[in-house]
Amino acid sequence: MNISDVLQTIMAYKDEHKLNSPASGMDIATAIKGGFFIPREYIEVLKSFNGGELFAPGTVLYGLTRSKCSMNVLNDIEVINQFSIPSNYLIIGHLNFGDIICINTEPPYDVIQWDHETDEEFYKWPDISAFLNEQVEDYLEYKEGNG
């Protein structure tokens, strides 16, 4: 599933999320000018919502600016200082149980779950689309079993 399809599916459940307004072109340009390399697919996410919580209470994705929904920003220095995450991993959020979500800023731009207890890579998705699609599938499976 491509990023457009995944984002469309996420937005179909907008009442289940606490999402920020989309990032502006200026927000994205400022982040890139400030030294962040943001993979193209993640820029598409930011253009749909600038961070927030998916399927609340659920995964929190960080935005480019602080807001009521997301007190963290990409590569928040407080998070970086707690873990030995490689410098080519951009911290983009966390799971509801504390593990950190990163996106590799080098090809293949995979998404990494960083274990917050063992301080090491725990799981990997091939890209942001696969990661977000799994969030949707997990929610639908939960809802079907408990709804």
Side-chain angles (χ1 to χ4, degrees), residues 57-127:
T59 299
V60 173
L61 293 179
Y62 302 160
L64 297 175
T65 55
R66 294 188 189 278
S67 71
K68 285 192 269 185
C69 290
S70 180
M71 292 307 295
N72 296 89
V73 293
L74 292 180
N75 264 19
D76 192 316
I77 197 70
E78 293 174 19
V79 176
I80 293 171
N81 288 337
Q82 293 177 29
F83 301 99
S84 58
I85 296 170
S87 61
N88 59 303
Y89 286 6
L90 179 66
I91 299 169
I92 61 169
H94 67 268
L95 299 175
N96 62 357
F97 54 88
D99 280 3
I100 306 301
I101 299 300
C102 308
I103 192 166
N104 192 346
T105 60
E106 298 174 356
Y109 309 118
D110 43 357
V111 173
I112 297 90
Q113 177 180 339
W114 195 266
D115 189 304
H116 75 287
E117 293 176 350
T118 62
D119 193 21
E120 62 188 11
E121 184 180 302
F122 180 77
Y123 192 79
K124 201 180 273 191
W125 294 265
D127 54 34

Side-chain angles (χ1 to χ4, degrees), residues 2 9 12 15 18 25 36 42 46-47 54-56 64 67 77-78 80 91 102 104 108 111 121 131-132 134 140:
N2 69 43
T9 302
D15 293 339
K18 295 180 182 175
F36 283 114
Y42 199 66
L46 294 168
K47 287 179 178 179
L54 297 173
F55 303 109
L64 297 175
S67 71
I77 197 70
E78 293 174 19
I80 293 171
I91 299 169
C102 308
N104 192 346
V111 173
E121 184 180 302
F131 169 73
L132 291 174
E134 185 174 296
L140 294 175

Side-chain angles (χ1 to χ4, degrees), residues 55 133-144:
F55 303 109
N133 191 55
E134 185 174 296
Q135 301 301 300
V136 172
E137 289 175 353
D138 287 351
Y139 170 75
L140 294 175
E141 183 178 304
Y142 168 80
K143 189 172 179 177
E144 185 177 292

